[in-house]
Amino acid sequence: MIKLQGKTVFSGIAIGRISVFKDPDIAVKREHVDDTEKEWKRVTDAKAEAINELGALYDIAMEQVGESGAEVFSVHQMMLEDEDFSDSIKNIIETEKVNAEYAVATTADNFAEMFASMDDDYMKARAADIKDISNRLLKILCGVKRSGVSDNEPSIIAADDLSPSETVRMDKSKVLAFVTRHGSSNSHTAILARTMNIPALIGVDFDDDAVDGKTGIVDGSEGVIYIDPSEELLETYRKKQEELLRQREMLKALKGKPTETKSGRKLNLYANIGGVSDVAYVLQNDAEGIGLFRSEFLYLSKEDYPSEEEQFKVYKTVLQNMAGKKVIIRTLDIGADKQIDYFKLDHEENPAMGFRAIRICLERPEVFKTQLRALFRAGLYGTAAIMYPMITSVEEIREIKSIVEEVKAELTAQNIPFNPDIEQGIMIETPAAVMISDLLAKEVDFFSIGTNDLTQYTLAIDRQNSKLDRFYNPHHEAVLRMIELVVKNAHKEGIWAGICGELGADTTLTERFVNMGVDELSVSPTFVLPIREKIRAME
Amino acid sequence: MVKFNYVITDEVGIHARPAGLLVKTAQQLSSKVTISKGDKSGDAKKIFSIMGLCAKQGDEITVTVEGENEAEDAKTLEAFLKENL
């Protein structure tokens, strides 16, 4: 078994025979000609035919992938009609007294070189377009028949690079995946793979003879291709593929559908994310918002405190990408199992009950204020909400509020635009917060129950300690009753309550949560649709 | 001769698709249209010439329109740029 790494341009799983796709080599010879006029006529005839072919490809592509994928062929037509391109060919034929093929190939090389030398990845990728149009001309000039996937068996297509016309002309029902040595995420192959919904890898360094005809597994999520995989691995991937297909089917059936029971009780079904790149999964899985944006990654991936500007940009990007859907950002939650060197926190015997989360923020208001400034500023770009972790008392909330007021006053004094009306809520993850949730509800706009910590604190079981596994019952009645109490107290004060811990994604509890009156569930993006399915099946 | 400046706002710049549209638009005009960026300039009726400018988001380009209909043609181009780039 060989495992090769590449870069994914479209994810998914494909299992099948690998077929190496090679364009017939067109060997261009330099030949002396006397009748240059005749050579030029050959070029203009070939050009006319090529433009016709492109017109036909445009129509096919329009049908297969729509205008965005088809446009390239109309650009190719324009490139063929470009005066500079033609002038160069004509000039070479006339001055060097050479054959049409040679003149076309030389001109194409020069033009491709111009693009390849640009310091812009997108433009660099356009060198492939030049190659595509010149190959088209050369094939017509040399009378070479088109190549294509002739096999009847659907296969994983491996190639050096694929031109747009090659990808469009392939019989799509025979293509399981694309794997190329070259190409870029801006290439047409990538665009087509995305529209066709099949996995595609680029930058894979394979050997033609070593892969052709072999069985392969393309794993788009990891960006790898396995050649000659073991039966065991095949079985694993068959299962994964099935799961993925099921997911896709579910997506089709549930995408855009409201999360509500048959009797019409609606819930907000949001997703948890830990970074900007996760937003793609949120949207793919059709979550209605982000219920927990863990801001720690901004701090964890750095050598020093992230600046206000850095944070602002990240929050703004996420808010803009979510286009008005709610994004609940949790303020810094480090300590316990998440340690950061530059915070210079002392070693603790019992970090889970130690100096962490809001406790650090209240103790070091300058760190907290930087984050709050960034949040209130970014609030102008979408529907943001702020959530404070590890709350145990009303006093803490009052302290937070006075810091928020300071931040707002400073921004106003500095004439920096911000959104003063952002929803602010707290995480309910300590038994203390549960017991005084009636008092806390008077102070904030919402509750989000963090079941992981709440369970650990309630059952006095350290989740990092595997010896305690047999005592750990995630469905412990104590925790479920706490959730019920929190929801009841929230509703008494007219605020909403949700669950953003792992328990929220447990479909065996979904029904109970809905009956308790939970208003929101925030789960990992992949659980969004299974939960929506569950809720929609409820009476 | 009519001259105006324009700053590219499109994320990718004058890439293949808008370049194609720009050429199509320019080809319908009777004026000679030159687009320049820094010390490079190109004929707006030729696709390679335009793509060769490698104009990206934030770049300022200068459009020069010459011909009998220059005033009107310049307006057409300016409207096109605002709409597409």
Side-chain angles (χ1 to χ4, degrees):
Chain A
M1 183 172 80
I2 313 171
K3 179 183 174 185
L4 297 172
Q5 184 72 43
K7 192 179 153 230
T8 304
V9 291
F10 193 75
S11 199
I13 289 171
I15 303 170
R17 207 174 65 97
I18 303 169
S19 164
V20 173
F21 180 82
K22 263 199 230 164
D23 214 21
D25 281 335
I26 302 169
V28 173
K29 278 195 206 130
R30 188 179 199 273
E31 279 164 29
H32 176 83
V33 295
D34 289 319
D35 190 351
T36 56
E37 235 168 81
K38 189 181 138 215
E39 283 307 295
W40 174 239
K41 182 156 188 317
R42 285 183 63 217
V43 175
T44 49
D45 287 350
K47 247 171 57 176
E49 194 177 332
I51 287 167
N52 267 339
E53 280 181 15
L54 285 165
L57 285 172
Y58 179 89
D59 293 340
I60 301 175
M62 269 300 266
E63 228 169 79
Q64 287 180 353
V65 292
E67 194 175 353
S68 60
E71 196 62 46
V72 56
F73 298 112
S74 113
V75 172
H76 280 189
Q77 282 182 329
M78 227 177 272
M79 287 177 166
L80 277 171
E81 283 166 340
D82 186 86
E83 255 179 69
D84 293 332
F85 188 71
S86 294
D87 284 351
S88 164
I89 298 171
K90 197 172 181 196
N91 191 39
I92 293 173
I93 294 177
E94 282 172 357
T95 55
E96 300 185 31
K97 290 200 173 298
V98 288
N99 52 331
E101 290 86 345
Y102 180 80
V104 168
T106 311
T107 299
D109 282 349
N110 291 342
F111 276 76
E113 182 56 34
M114 172 182 96
F115 283 107
S117 65
M118 285 183 183
D119 62 341
D120 178 288
D121 287 340
Y122 183 86
M123 284 301 181
K124 272 186 185 155
R126 302 285 72 75
D129 290 316
I130 316 272
K131 216 182 135 210
D132 200 10
I133 60 161
S134 69
N135 275 347
R136 180 177 307 286
L137 279 180
L138 289 172
K139 274 183 213 165
I140 295 168
L141 285 167
C142 306
V144 176
K145 284 260 180 275
R146 296 167 168 178
S147 62
V149 188
S150 53
D151 293 299
N152 284 322
E153 190 188 339
S155 16
I156 295 167
I157 303 298
D160 208 39
D161 197 0
L162 290 163
S163 67
S165 36
E166 281 160 350
T167 20
V168 156
R169 223 162 37 216
M170 277 175 191
D171 178 355
K172 299 304 170 304
S173 61
K174 301 281 189 297
V175 183
L176 298 173
F178 291 122
V179 176
T180 65
R181 278 192 202 98
H182 305 295
S184 72
S185 6
N186 283 323
S187 69
H188 302 290
T189 311
I191 297 166
L192 287 167
R194 276 181 214 128
T195 1
M196 283 161 52
N197 220 350
I198 59 171
L201 306 182
I202 58 170
V204 181
D205 189 19
F206 61 86
D207 181 67
D208 279 358
D209 299 325
V211 303
D212 200 17
K214 301 272 171 62
T215 302
I217 300 173
V218 176
D219 179 354
S221 65
E222 302 284 332
V224 294
I225 174 165
Y226 296 94
I227 296 129
D228 268 341
S230 65
E231 193 45 48
E232 215 183 323
L233 196 69
L234 272 171
E235 198 41 48
T236 314
Y237 272 99
R238 277 189 200 116
K239 281 204 188 109
K240 273 196 194 180
Q241 195 179 26
E242 245 169 62
E243 178 56 29
L244 209 65
L245 280 177
R246 211 180 62 83
Q247 186 88 13
R248 278 197 187 150
E249 283 303 308
M250 190 151 44
L251 191 73
K252 257 192 239 155
L254 295 169
K255 210 170 173 173
K257 297 270 166 65
T259 306
E260 61 183 8
T261 61
K262 285 178 185 158
S263 58
R265 199 172 109 60
K266 258 185 96 126
L267 262 86
N268 288 323
L269 186 51
Y270 295 159
N272 298 343
I273 67 165
V276 179
S277 55
D278 294 343
V279 174
Y281 301 111
V282 174
L283 297 172
Q284 264 169 35
N285 289 285
D286 201 33
E288 293 146 31
I290 293 171
L292 169 62
F293 178 6
R294 302 181 179 94
S295 62
E296 294 83 71
F297 83 96
L298 278 162
Y299 298 82
L300 289 163
S301 57
K302 302 271 301 177
E303 302 289 315
D304 202 351
Y305 296 98
S307 68
E308 178 185 326
E309 218 44 44
E310 261 172 75
Q311 298 196 43
F312 166 70
K313 276 191 195 145
V314 167
Y315 305 142
K316 180 181 159 188
T317 307
V318 172
L319 283 161
Q320 283 178 329
N321 288 344
M322 291 303 290
K325 290 181 177 171
K326 190 177 282 188
V327 178
I328 304 174
I329 302 152
R330 179 177 71 188
T331 58
L332 180 63
D333 184 10
I334 61 153
D337 53 337
K338 288 171 245 162
Q339 288 294 333
I340 300 175
D341 288 346
Y342 61 81
F343 272 81
K344 299 201 169 58
L345 301 175
D346 296 330
H347 175 77
E348 291 183 70
E349 284 305 319
N350 199 350
M353 298 195 180
F355 189 48
R356 55 174 291 199
I358 201 70
R359 299 168 182 177
I360 297 177
C361 290
L362 294 176
E363 198 65 29
R364 299 185 183 173
E366 65 293 348
V367 177
F368 193 31
K369 275 181 161 181
T370 306
Q371 181 168 34
L372 289 172
R373 284 174 63 100
L375 285 168
F376 279 98
R377 286 176 55 202
L380 289 170
Y381 298 89
T383 313
I386 304 176
M387 172 158 81
Y388 305 103
M390 276 298 282
I391 298 295
T392 57
S393 71
V394 173
E395 290 70 29
E396 282 162 356
I397 298 175
R398 301 229 169 106
E399 217 178 318
I400 293 169
K401 280 186 176 169
S402 87
I403 295 175
V404 166
E405 285 318 309
E406 277 174 45
V407 164
K408 287 183 180 174
E410 282 165 22
L411 287 168
T412 310
Q414 291 166 306
N415 248 332
I416 298 172
F418 68 99
N419 180 358
D421 302 313
I422 293 180
E423 234 189 326
Q424 293 175 75
I426 55 169
M427 296 270 295
I428 301 285
E429 48 191 338
T430 62
V434 174
M435 295 313 291
I436 58 162
S437 49
D438 55 332
L439 304 176
L440 296 171
K442 296 184 202 296
E443 304 286 332
V444 298
D445 301 321
F446 64 89
F447 286 157
S448 187
I449 306 167
T451 53
N452 301 9
D453 272 330
L454 184 60
T455 309
Q456 145 164 302
Y457 295 135
T458 304
L459 305 184
I461 285 178
D462 179 356
R463 294 209 53 192
Q464 317 281 349
N465 187 344
S466 57
K467 270 192 201 136
L468 300 176
D469 280 355
R470 86 180 177 93
F471 301 102
Y472 182 81
N473 171 11
H475 293 187
H476 200 294
E477 195 54 32
V479 177
L480 296 173
R481 285 187 193 179
M482 282 186 161
I483 295 173
E484 194 161 15
L485 177 65
V486 170
V487 174
K488 219 167 76 191
N489 282 333
H491 290 174
K492 258 188 223 156
E493 292 300 328
I495 67 168
W496 62 265
I499 299 174
C500 67
E502 273 171 39
L503 224 48
D506 189 332
T507 46
T508 60
L509 290 172
T510 307
E511 193 158 354
R512 182 147 177 199
F513 290 149
V514 174
N515 291 333
M516 279 179 190
V518 170
D519 302 286
E520 177 241 27
L521 291 171
S522 190
V523 298
S524 294
T526 45
F527 290 118
V528 168
L529 293 173
I531 291 178
R532 181 175 296 162
E533 191 180 34
K534 186 92 189 174
I535 293 175
R536 287 178 63 83
M538 279 179 66
E539 284 310 315
Chain B
M1 191 171 75
V2 183
K3 247 186 187 182
F4 67 89
N5 290 347
Y6 181 79
V7 178
I8 309 276
T9 56
D10 186 271
E11 232 174 89
V12 202
I14 307 190
H15 49 101
R17 196 179 150 271
L21 292 173
L22 174 61
V23 171
K24 263 187 207 161
T25 311
Q27 278 173 350
Q28 281 158 13
L29 308 176
S30 62
S31 310
K32 178 174 163 44
V33 184
T34 313
I35 293 183
S36 47
K37 188 197 104 179
D39 51 3
K40 282 196 274 189
S41 69
D43 182 342
K45 297 187 181 184
K46 299 177 182 172
I47 192 161
F48 285 126
S49 188
I50 292 308
M51 287 173 77
L53 292 176
C54 196
K56 287 182 268 192
Q57 187 177 33
D59 286 346
E60 189 177 37
I61 54 170
T62 306
V63 183
T64 313
V65 190
E66 277 179 282
E68 277 176 23
N69 256 334
E70 55 192 30
E72 207 173 299
D73 289 353
K75 266 185 208 151
T76 309
L77 282 167
E78 198 165 5
F80 169 86
L81 289 170
K82 277 186 186 144
E83 171 93 25
N84 295 286
L85 282 158

